């Protein structure tokens, strides 16, 4: 969450709760809602690294408000993050480990493992489909995030089919 | 009530004198109102199976029962009559009649099923409206996008109020937006009690089904009820996090 927070602070200084709200507004329901504690812990680390500075703003009848600013070093880190290509998903699939190793253990047959995994993926797919139906059609960021998840899931299922073809006879 | 049953259904093709089994003993039952998805790797026999269920391919041995009547022994012309009256079929590549308007493509099966011209027109108007195609009624199929053509194909398949809707990769050639429209329609008619059997590799289609049957090498290797076992996620975040 470090870089998304820096990106939000690049727009304008903000306090922790405002950052939480901005994240939720940008990504809609499709992003795991960060809790405020995580946000303050992350901000604390960013401050220690010199990427943000904090200023106490006095408020009448209330405790001081901590407002966070992006520093020059923070902006540099942010630009580097935006400019560099991002790693794609790596295949470090725990299910595949089970599938390959199961016959050695003698405790599960591969077809049963594949069937169980397919059912699991399909029920996840249904959750995603329903989620997309419940999401406001104007919330394009959230819908794209859900579509990304469904495409990954479809790839997982296609791969499962290939495993079925090659490993189960 | 059972709409469809197969007993030990087998299809063996001959390839230069060499027998190639495509479907190897399938026992399969579909209850009225059920939505069943058939999945499996390519070459696993799923298209062959659904074509036999619609009388578009001939079984080598075994039985097919539709609506309590044995149908695998029917002649080709008797199958044609049965299809007109009881079965709707949707293919991957629409297969609309190119020199007829959208309206006629949809109306014809209703007429062939024995509906009066007035009933047929009303049925066509209703289906095209449901599918958002009223404006396109007098267009030729070639003037429509692929997604629109598939929606017309779905309307045509439903025109005769079939006991059984069969579909072979209905979203196989569609982008995600048209897939969503076709899925919504399948969900709607299923909600109205339509019995559906669809062959698909698209998990979005399969996730709409009540049951997912998986074929491998011509045999059923899994028959999974998709009835919900766990609570639906409260927010999108939960789902995305699971996948993240």
């Amino acid at each position: 969450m470090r870089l998304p927070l820096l990106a939000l602070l690049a727009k304008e200084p903000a306090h922790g709760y405002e950052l939480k709200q901005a994240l939720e507004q940008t990504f809609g329901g499709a992003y795991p809602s960060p809790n405020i504690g995580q946000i303050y812990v992350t901000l604390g680390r960013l401050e220690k690294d010199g990427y943000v500075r904090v200023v106490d703003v006095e408020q009448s009848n209330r405790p001081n408000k901590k407002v966070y600013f992006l520093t020059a070093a923070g902006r540099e880190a942010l630009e580097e993050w935006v400019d560099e290509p991002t790693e794609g998903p790596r295949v470090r699939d725990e299910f595949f480990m089970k599938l390959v190793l199961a016959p050695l253990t003698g405790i599960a047959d591969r077809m049963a493992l594949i069937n169980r995994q397919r059912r699991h993926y399909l029920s996840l797919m249904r959750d995603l489909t329903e989620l997309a139906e419940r999401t406001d059609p104007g919330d394009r960021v959230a819908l794209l995030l859900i579509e990304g998840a469904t495409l990954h899931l479809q790839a997982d299922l296609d791969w499962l089919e290939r495993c079925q073809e090659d490993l189960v006879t | 009530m059972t709409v469809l049953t197969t007993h030990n259904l087998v299809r063996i093709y001959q390839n230069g004198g060499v027998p190639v089994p495509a479907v190897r003993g399938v026992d399969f039952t579909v209850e009225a109102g059920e939505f069943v998805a058939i999945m499996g790797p390519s070459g696993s026999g799923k298209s062959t199976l659904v074509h036999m269920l619609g009388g578009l391919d001939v079984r080598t041995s075994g039985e097919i029962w539709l609506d309590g009547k044995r149908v695998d022994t029917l002649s080709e012309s008797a199958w044609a009559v049965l299809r007109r009256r009881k079965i709707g079929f949707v293919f991957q590549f629409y297969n609309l009649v190119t020199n007829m308007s959208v309206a006629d493509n949809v109306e014809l099966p209703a007429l062939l099923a024995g509906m009066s011209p007035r009933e047929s027109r009303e049925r066509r108007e209703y289906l095209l409206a449901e599918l958002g195609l009223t404006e396109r009624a007098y267009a030729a199929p070639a003037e429509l996008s692929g997604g629109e053509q598939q929606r017309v194909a779905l309307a045509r398949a439903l025109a005769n109020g079939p006991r059984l809707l069969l579909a072979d990769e209905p979203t196989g050639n569609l982008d995600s937006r048209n897939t969503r429209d076709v899925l919504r329609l399948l969900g709607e008619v299923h909600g109205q009690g339509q019995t559906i059997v669809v062959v698909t590799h698209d998990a979005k289609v399969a996730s709409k089904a009540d049951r997912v049957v998986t074929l491998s090498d011509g045999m059923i290797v899994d028959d999974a009820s998709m009835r919900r076992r766990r609570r639906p996620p409260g927010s999108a975040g939960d789902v995305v996090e699971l996948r993240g």
Side-chain angles (χ1 to χ4, degrees):
Chain A
M1 202 172 31
R2 288 163 63 91
L3 279 308
L5 290 183
L6 291 183
L8 292 172
L9 289 174
K11 187 175 163 238
E12 59 193 356
H15 58 88
Y17 189 69
E18 284 169 342
L19 291 170
K20 175 176 156 65
Q21 283 181 315
L23 273 179
E24 286 168 356
Q25 268 168 23
T26 305
F27 292 104
Y31 194 78
S33 185
N35 78 45
I36 191 69
Q38 287 171 300
I39 286 181
Y40 278 115
V41 167
T42 308
L43 287 169
R45 288 188 189 136
L46 289 169
E47 189 188 358
K48 222 173 101 201
D49 294 340
Y51 292 161
V52 304
R53 266 205 337 260
V54 60
V55 177
D56 275 333
V57 176
E58 283 186 30
Q59 299 193 106
S60 50
N61 306 327
R62 284 202 216 167
N64 288 356
K65 190 163 83 169
K66 280 173 182 264
V67 173
Y68 292 83
F69 293 81
L70 192 65
T71 64
R75 172 161 291 278
E76 207 172 296
L78 177 63
E79 280 169 7
E80 209 175 293
W81 176 62
V82 171
D83 285 341
E84 74 189 0
T86 307
E87 283 302 320
R90 280 179 285 278
V91 179
R92 47 179 162 74
D93 192 289
E94 192 184 347
F95 171 74
F96 189 66
M97 291 296 152
K98 284 187 200 174
L99 188 65
V100 171
L101 298 175
L104 308 181
T105 67
I107 49 176
D109 84 273
R110 279 176 169 161
M111 198 64 234
L113 283 176
I114 287 174
N115 285 341
R116 198 175 313 126
Q117 194 66 14
R118 185 186 320 100
R119 292 175 182 205
H120 177 62
Y121 284 156
L122 287 171
S123 78
L124 284 176
M125 185 61 94
R126 181 166 58 191
D127 292 345
L128 285 171
T129 309
E130 288 174 3
L131 189 58
E133 285 164 2
R134 284 202 307 275
T135 301
D136 171 10
D139 194 346
R140 286 157 65 192
V141 171
L143 285 172
L144 280 171
L145 203 48
I146 295 167
E147 188 170 353
T150 66
L151 289 168
H152 280 289
L153 200 48
Q154 179 71 54
D156 287 338
L157 274 156
D158 292 346
W159 191 37
L160 201 59
E161 223 164 60
R162 290 286 303 116
C163 293
Q164 180 184 326
E165 284 178 302
D166 277 19
L167 295 180
V168 185
T169 43
Chain B
M1 194 187 162
T2 302
V3 170
L4 179 76
T5 309
T6 73
H7 295 301
N8 199 18
L9 194 60
V10 172
R11 178 66 168 114
I12 299 172
Y13 294 108
Q14 294 294 330
N15 186 5
V18 182
V20 181
V23 171
R24 304 192 298 159
V26 165
D27 292 300
F28 178 56
T29 295
V30 180
E31 300 298 324
E34 254 191 322
F35 182 166
V36 181
I38 301 176
M39 301 188 88
S42 57
S44 60
K46 50 194 198 303
S47 281
T48 303
L49 176 61
V50 80
H51 280 86
M52 285 193 287
L53 300 180
L56 301 175
D57 195 357
V58 183
R59 58 112 181 80
T60 304
S61 65
E63 298 174 12
I64 305 172
W65 293 71
L66 183 66
D67 244 359
K69 293 199 178 64
R70 187 162 174 187
V71 296
D72 58 90
T73 48
L74 295 180
S75 66
E76 209 166 305
S77 58
W79 257 114
V81 172
L82 185 72
R83 267 198 305 274
R84 276 184 224 152
R85 296 185 185 278
K86 294 204 168 172
I87 296 173
F89 216 117
V90 181
F91 302 89
Q92 182 175 351
F93 294 102
Y94 337 127
N95 293 14
L96 298 172
V97 182
T98 51
N99 58 0
M100 283 183 359
S101 68
V102 163
D104 287 344
N105 263 283
V106 177
E107 221 170 292
L108 185 63
L111 288 167
L112 289 174
M115 288 189 197
S116 73
R118 198 173 60 94
E119 284 173 321
S120 301
R121 197 188 63 238
E122 283 170 3
R123 178 87 182 145
R124 176 259 292 176
E125 284 168 352
Y126 163 76
L127 286 167
L128 289 185
E130 282 287 297
L131 289 158
L133 289 163
T134 303
E135 309 282 298
R136 311 295 268 147
Y138 298 104
E143 296 171 65
L144 306 186
S145 71
E148 287 173 326
Q149 289 191 57
Q150 190 61 308
R151 281 185 276 157
V152 174
L154 187 52
R156 176 187 59 181
L158 292 167
N160 59 349
R163 278 293 278 161
L164 177 63
L165 178 68
L166 298 172
D168 188 7
E169 298 285 5
T171 63
N173 201 37
L174 302 182
D175 63 19
S176 63
R177 188 165 304 172
N178 281 302
T179 294
R180 202 174 55 213
D181 286 345
V182 166
L183 274 184
R184 203 191 54 233
L185 288 161
L186 283 178
E188 266 170 37
V189 294
H190 176 230
Q192 294 158 14
Q194 178 69 51
T195 309
I196 304 172
V197 175
V198 53
V199 165
T200 189
H201 73 275
D202 186 337
K204 292 192 293 302
V205 179
S207 71
K208 285 262 173 193
D210 303 314
R211 256 169 81 201
V212 176
V213 170
T214 304
L215 292 185
S216 182
D217 211 7
M219 292 186 288
I220 292 178
V221 291
D222 195 29
D223 188 340
S225 166
M226 293 292 289
R227 255 177 256 128
R228 194 177 291 290
R229 259 162 295 167
R230 60 198 179 82
R231 198 177 55 82
S235 77
D238 300 339
V239 180
V240 173
E241 195 164 34
L242 275 172
R243 296 298 317 146

